[in-house]
Amino acid sequence: MSLLEVKNLRVEFPTRRGTLLAIDDISFSIEPGEVLGVVGESGAGKSLTGASIIGLLEPPGRIADGKITLEGERIDDLPYEKMRHVRGKKIGAIFQDPLTSLNPLYTVSKQLTETILVHMDMSQEQARKRAVELLDEVGIPAAETRIDSYPHEFSGGMRQRVVIALALCANPKLIVADEPTTALDVSIQAQIIAIIKRLCKEHKTAVMLITHDMGVIAETADRVAVMYAGRIVEIG
């Protein structure tokens, strides 16, 4: 059984001049531990597809048709509160700009431990220990001391590692990574890709990797879906 299945998904944006069809009847699946690369030019609907899966479509955008199932359970019609729970526990998200995922007012420690406590049954102390382990795992040096820093005290590449750690907090089954390396320079991109690949192997996490960088895809993906104008033109 596939981990994630998207069937005949349509996403619409009602506008004054009628309805804009942003995603037009797309279907695909992702197996456990697999990396599916989703490529296409800007505006092809890659990020919207990701947002639909995570349940973070910006209104007035809405899923007009089709269904999304995760581990056999339908998730596209869940109420907000339920979806919030799924979002942290079963689906993790990594966005292109780490600053949008991290709250500048809180230390990395607070953000990681809070997320762990929401989704896992742990004491404050265990959560902090787990947070340090995660930072270690994504390659942040001296994690013990750096964990109490604020997001702005990290470089772009280090912030993106923190975001990956945040996405991994509750051992999700699926990670939706939307352009996770775009804002970073090439050497750091390679490191981030290596981290994502290792996680798939070790945690059997599946990854939907959205990018327009074919180099990243060639390096990482098991299968590739090519999107154009709201449709998947091929998967191979």
Side-chain angles (χ1 to χ4, degrees):
M1 190 174 105
S2 300
L3 174 73
L4 175 82
E5 221 163 290
V6 175
K7 273 204 177 115
N8 310 107
L9 180 69
R10 288 166 69 96
V11 173
E12 296 177 344
F13 282 82
T15 66
R16 283 199 199 115
R17 293 194 225 144
T19 304
L20 172 78
L21 186 58
I23 290 177
D24 185 4
D25 196 27
I26 65 169
S27 299
F28 63 90
S29 62
I30 304 179
E31 303 303 315
E34 177 183 46
V35 183
L36 176 73
V38 180
V39 288
E41 56 191 48
S42 295
K46 309 184 296 292
S47 294
L48 275 179
T49 306
S52 306
I53 291 169
I54 312 168
L56 289 179
L57 263 183
E58 292 281 323
R62 62 188 186 95
I63 294 178
D65 201 11
K67 63 178 192 176
I68 301 170
T69 52
L70 182 70
E71 296 187 303
E73 182 195 354
R74 190 165 174 182
I75 58 168
D76 57 278
D77 54 359
L78 290 178
Y80 181 79
E81 269 309 307
K82 271 200 162 152
M83 189 58 203
R84 230 187 80 187
H85 198 67
V86 170
R87 196 179 304 137
K89 197 160 179 55
K90 292 188 174 176
I91 306 178
I94 304 170
F95 297 111
Q96 155 174 3
D97 176 13
L99 282 179
T100 51
S101 315
L102 297 171
N103 187 327
L105 302 177
Y106 295 122
T107 61
V108 166
S109 159
K110 184 169 168 57
Q111 297 184 57
L112 283 168
T113 49
E114 229 166 57
T115 310
I116 292 167
L117 290 170
V118 166
H119 296 294
M120 299 178 103
D121 190 16
M122 283 187 178
S123 68
Q124 188 77 35
E125 209 170 293
Q126 290 169 315
R128 186 183 161 92
K129 190 166 168 265
R130 166 132 175 92
V132 172
E133 280 164 11
L134 282 167
L135 290 182
D136 230 8
E137 198 175 331
V138 294
I140 287 186
E144 268 288 335
T145 48
R146 292 303 307 267
I147 190 167
D148 294 311
S149 308
Y150 287 87
H152 69 264
E153 298 178 285
F154 288 90
S155 67
M158 286 296 165
R159 270 199 296 264
Q160 194 58 301
R161 287 164 198 245
V162 173
V163 171
I164 294 176
L166 201 55
L168 291 173
C169 276
N171 287 330
K173 301 279 194 291
L174 171 72
I175 288 181
V176 176
D178 190 353
E179 304 271 10
T181 58
T182 306
L184 310 171
D185 61 49
V186 182
S187 58
I188 307 225
Q189 277 189 9
Q191 293 167 11
I192 298 290
I193 287 163
I195 290 172
I196 292 174
K197 276 168 74 169
R198 198 183 73 237
L199 297 172
C200 293
K201 277 208 183 71
E202 290 174 9
H203 295 265
K204 280 280 173 272
T205 312
V207 178
M208 177 178 171
L209 179 67
I210 300 168
T211 177
H212 57 257
D213 185 332
M214 287 312 271
V216 169
I217 288 288
E219 190 54 43
T220 332
D222 300 308
R223 282 188 309 144
V224 183
V226 181
M227 284 191 79
Y228 181 76
R231 290 189 154 181
I232 290 185
V233 280
E234 61 177 328
I235 293 190

